Amino acid sequence: MDNLTNNINNFPQGHPVRVYLEENILIKQLFEELFKVDINTDFQLFFNLFNQLSQVEKHFARKENQLFPYLEKYGWTSPSQGMWAFHDQIRAEIKSVRKKIEDKDFENILNSLIVVFNSLSQLMSVEENRLLPNAMNLLNEDDWKEMYEGDCEIGWMFATPPVRYPEIKEEEYIHPSLDTKKRKLSFSLEDRTHFDEGYLTMEQVNFIFKFLPVDITYVDENDKVVFYNRGDERVFPRSAGIIGREVKFCHPPKSVDQVLKILEEFKAGRQDTAEFWIQFKGKFIHIRYFAIRDEERNYKGVIEMSQDVSEIRALEGEKRLLDWN
């Protein structure tokens, strides 16, 4: 089979496969420019080109979160494991180059960059000779058309986004909230509710709120408490008697004025967040308030979130391995 890059014009502008190939062309061009630069005399140009190359993270992320799920739907799961692991290896190699650049370790930057070049060259070869040709055989036209919104959220390596595929006329636009097109999923939608992204049963929703390591309280636009989560280790105690109660009666008198001030500013649209941190029973507690607004920016209430961040504040360095033993 001919290398896909040689036949790039066989794909319409904006088609996901064409965009992947165009990014590969850009990667090769960036390496050509990088290897021509004398880092000792034009360090800033070298750094700028390297930063452009580092945008390959978006190339990886689209594959991992967009392309791979479609391949899994058709039973091809190896890219989600083997190629994703290769992405992580290259990420680590790019991080190593960046560290040497930041340290101005000129003697070793080029050797580390050559490692990245070799890895990306191998990856692009696999993409163009195996991954993308197989994807073209597996995915149908509707699959490719569905990718644009998600791709757009992640982004591309280019300064200017590629054209939308497929190109749609203005009158054909359907707002995501009105998009009722049924897509083939690997699980039943029975007893599930459609959220902004994904479908959950009420049991699963309850599990999420129960196991989140934060206290959540929702106060509606009428200042009535309508919800709180019942986690096992809440920072501040709550009981069912709070439901339906005015929020001003749910706080100690000394803090009521602050709560009312937050509500006033949120309702007026002058503020959207407020945060505090306090020492409480030997713990460091982070408290945040978020104004909730609908698509028209109408005030719909406030979420109060409290979290014990004592252990988080104490973290240092990195932890990349399990230590369950």
Side-chain angles (χ1 to χ4, degrees):
M1 179 183 291
D2 291 337
N3 186 290
L4 288 184
T5 305
N6 298 330
N7 300 298
I8 192 170
N9 289 324
N10 291 342
F11 299 95
Q13 289 286 340
H15 190 287
V17 172
R18 180 176 182 127
V19 174
Y20 282 123
L21 296 174
E22 289 172 340
E23 285 181 329
N24 284 355
I25 292 171
L26 175 61
I27 291 168
K28 295 167 188 174
Q29 291 172 343
L30 288 170
F31 272 118
E32 285 183 13
E33 295 181 50
L34 278 164
F35 288 135
K36 290 178 182 177
V37 176
D38 184 342
I39 193 172
N40 293 288
T41 59
D42 209 341
F43 175 77
Q44 192 58 53
L45 174 59
F46 184 91
F47 199 10
N48 291 343
L49 290 170
F50 176 75
N51 284 332
Q52 284 183 261
L53 179 66
S54 298
Q55 293 296 304
V56 72
E57 169 60 32
K58 295 177 181 177
H59 184 96
F60 295 165
R62 290 203 320 281
K63 287 163 62 182
E64 294 163 355
N65 296 283
Q66 292 281 99
L67 180 59
F68 290 175
Y70 279 94
L71 300 180
E72 292 164 11
K73 183 173 72 171
Y74 292 104
W76 193 26
T77 60
S78 58
S80 302
Q81 300 166 36
M83 186 167 281
W84 196 322
F86 196 16
H87 290 172
D88 286 343
Q89 174 190 319
I90 299 172
R91 286 178 171 117
E93 293 168 356
I94 291 174
K95 183 178 179 180
S96 176
V97 176
R98 182 171 296 281
K99 179 67 166 60
K100 290 179 173 63
I101 291 175
E102 292 171 350
D103 293 343
K104 296 192 175 179
D105 181 6
F106 294 158
E107 292 184 5
N108 296 303
I109 289 174
L110 186 58
N111 287 336
S112 294
L113 184 63
I114 290 173
V115 172
V116 177
F117 170 76
N118 289 334
S119 294
L120 279 174
S121 297
Q122 180 182 345
L123 179 70
M124 290 187 288
S125 176
V126 175
E127 285 180 358
E128 296 173 16
N129 292 291
R130 177 167 166 77
L131 177 73
L132 294 176
N134 283 357
M136 289 162 52
N137 290 331
L138 290 171
L139 275 59
N140 59 46
E141 185 63 11
D142 285 340
D143 294 330
W144 296 115
K145 289 178 179 179
E146 289 171 6
M147 287 190 190
Y148 183 82
E149 294 296 338
D151 282 356
C152 194
E153 287 186 25
I154 295 169
W156 299 272
M157 291 185 68
F158 312 113
T160 302
V163 300
R164 185 187 183 103
Y165 180 82
E167 184 178 0
I168 58 175
K169 297 178 182 178
E170 186 175 348
E171 61 268 19
E172 295 175 332
Y173 175 74
I174 301 176
H175 190 277
S177 64
L178 302 177
D179 183 3
T180 58
K181 180 179 179 180
K182 291 189 178 296
R183 296 173 172 83
K184 186 177 179 181
L185 298 171
S186 59
F187 53 83
S188 170
L189 296 182
E190 185 177 357
D191 298 325
R192 293 177 185 261
T193 299
H194 181 209
F195 295 89
D196 277 354
E197 288 298 338
Y199 304 82
L200 294 168
T201 66
M202 287 300 100
E203 181 185 48
Q204 289 170 333
V205 172
N206 200 52
F207 283 152
I208 289 172
F209 284 121
K210 181 176 180 179
F211 286 94
L212 277 174
V214 293
D215 293 2
I216 299 175
T217 304
Y218 195 141
V219 178
D220 70 9
E221 63 268 36
N222 300 311
D223 300 342
K224 300 291 180 69
V225 178
V226 295
F227 171 85
Y228 73 92
N229 63 330
R230 298 185 64 180
D232 292 335
E233 299 183 8
R234 287 191 58 91
V235 175
F236 301 114
R238 292 278 189 268
S239 69
I242 196 176
I243 302 299
R245 195 178 185 190
E246 282 194 56
V247 68
K248 67 181 180 182
F249 297 126
C250 302
H251 290 267
K254 63 182 179 181
S255 63
V256 167
D257 287 346
Q258 283 201 101
V259 172
L260 295 179
K261 178 65 174 177
I262 291 170
L263 294 176
E264 178 185 344
E265 294 297 303
F266 282 4
K267 290 176 181 178
R270 292 187 290 265
Q271 300 289 340
D272 287 312
T273 62
E275 65 177 337
F276 309 90
W277 45 93
I278 62 173
Q279 302 285 343
F280 180 72
K281 296 183 178 180
K283 300 177 180 179
F284 192 91
I285 309 301
H286 190 203
I287 305 167
R288 290 178 288 178
Y289 295 83
F290 300 94
I292 306 303
R293 307 187 192 281
D294 62 17
E295 294 293 333
E296 286 74 42
R297 296 288 296 167
N298 297 312
Y299 176 76
K300 290 297 181 179
V302 57
I303 288 179
E304 176 188 351
M305 296 178 60
S306 302
Q307 183 177 11
D308 175 9
V309 295
S310 305
E311 294 184 359
I312 295 174
R313 292 181 77 219
L315 295 176
E316 294 181 348
E318 295 184 345
K319 176 185 175 183
R320 294 177 176 271
L321 301 174
L322 289 173
D323 58 359
W324 289 347
N325 293 331

